[in-house]
Amino acid sequence: MLQHNLIERMVEHFQAGGEIMIPLMFLSLLMWTLAIVKSIRFLRERKRERGASQCLEMFRGEASVCKAGLAQWQWDILSQYMNERCEDPELNRDMLEAIRMRQEFKAMRYIGTILILAAIAPLLGLLGTVTGMITTFDVISEFGTGNARALASGISEALVTTQSGLVVAVPGLLLGGLLFRRAEKLKARMELFCIGLQEHTDGIATAGE
């Protein structure tokens, strides 16, 4: 019974916001979907990260086992670098930096979109406020202030959309900022991994010579 009343109140709240609530709802769903997917990806990858020397040892074994045991970004950097490296350390360094920059771009993917969607939400709420107030003034111009129900409908639309826009925006901005910091830390770990990878492979090359 309590659950039924809660759903009924949510539906009434949604209807009170008017047409602006529809794009606001889709924006919220898209933003949270991207945020959840990105958070899961960060957590899963973090658990599978290994040191550069351990990654090289795993790479010398079976490829499928190595790929399954490493974070995706480590496997992408390691496999591409080991397959394309040459005898020139400077060229290897430049190539490794280019590979790392591509992985850094992937680490930041969708975070900007999440922050943009969170920033758009209060603007949609403001649009709903404007349309609600326009509805209210139209009612006043046609019926005066005697039609309290019609007045309440317009004011309710203005307030509900503003509230909904803020409810979507505030957690979205906080979560986007948190994901941005995680991505920055991941980029720092990528840089350290590439440094360690080059040191170990240059050492192998020197020993081979």
Side-chain angles (χ1 to χ4, degrees):
M1 186 65 181
L2 182 61
Q3 185 178 4
H4 177 73
N5 292 336
L6 180 61
I7 294 175
E8 187 175 335
R9 288 177 61 186
M10 290 177 63
V11 171
E12 291 176 355
H13 186 80
F14 185 86
Q15 292 175 343
E19 296 178 353
I20 297 297
M21 294 295 288
I22 297 175
L24 195 55
M25 180 189 69
F26 281 112
L27 183 147
S28 177
L29 289 175
L30 177 60
M31 183 189 73
W32 280 102
T33 299
L34 292 176
I36 291 171
V37 169
K38 196 69 179 177
S39 299
I40 293 174
R41 175 77 181 272
F42 278 148
L43 291 173
R44 185 179 299 171
E45 292 286 280
R46 187 71 177 96
K47 293 179 180 179
R48 297 166 62 185
E49 289 180 13
R50 302 288 186 271
S53 58
Q54 188 177 358
C55 289
L56 284 169
E57 291 178 6
M58 295 175 67
F59 186 78
R60 297 189 187 98
E62 190 174 346
S64 59
V65 176
C66 179
K67 185 176 181 179
L70 298 180
Q72 184 63 46
W73 66 266
Q74 286 187 314
W75 166 255
D76 291 340
I77 292 175
L78 180 63
S79 59
Q80 188 173 353
Y81 175 68
M82 294 302 291
N83 291 331
E84 297 180 6
R85 64 188 295 267
C86 60
E87 300 298 327
D88 186 350
E90 292 296 328
L91 185 59
N92 288 337
R93 185 177 294 107
D94 293 339
M95 179 181 63
L96 189 57
E97 183 177 356
I99 296 172
R100 177 175 59 83
M101 290 179 65
R102 286 196 292 270
Q103 293 302 316
E104 288 181 354
F105 176 78
K106 290 182 179 180
M108 296 297 296
R109 185 182 295 172
Y110 303 134
I111 296 178
T113 304
I114 293 169
L115 292 171
I116 290 173
L117 291 174
I120 291 174
L123 298 179
L124 284 176
L126 180 60
L127 178 61
T129 302
V130 173
T131 56
M133 295 308 297
I134 290 173
T135 302
T136 303
F137 290 133
D138 287 341
V139 171
I140 293 174
S141 64
E142 186 172 354
F143 301 105
T145 57
N147 193 336
R149 183 181 295 273
L151 286 174
S153 177
I155 295 173
S156 177
E157 179 181 346
L159 296 178
V160 167
T161 51
T162 303
Q163 179 192 47
S164 300
L166 292 174
V167 167
V168 173
V170 173
L173 289 172
L174 292 175
L175 187 56
L178 177 63
L179 291 173
F180 181 83
R181 287 194 295 272
R182 282 184 175 270
E184 288 295 319
K185 291 179 180 179
L186 175 57
K187 287 165 63 175
R189 294 198 302 272
M190 285 181 181
E191 185 174 1
L192 291 175
F193 174 77
C194 290
I195 292 173
L197 183 61
Q198 187 165 23
E199 286 178 352
H200 282 83
T201 51
D202 286 351
I204 292 172
T206 302
E209 292 175 358

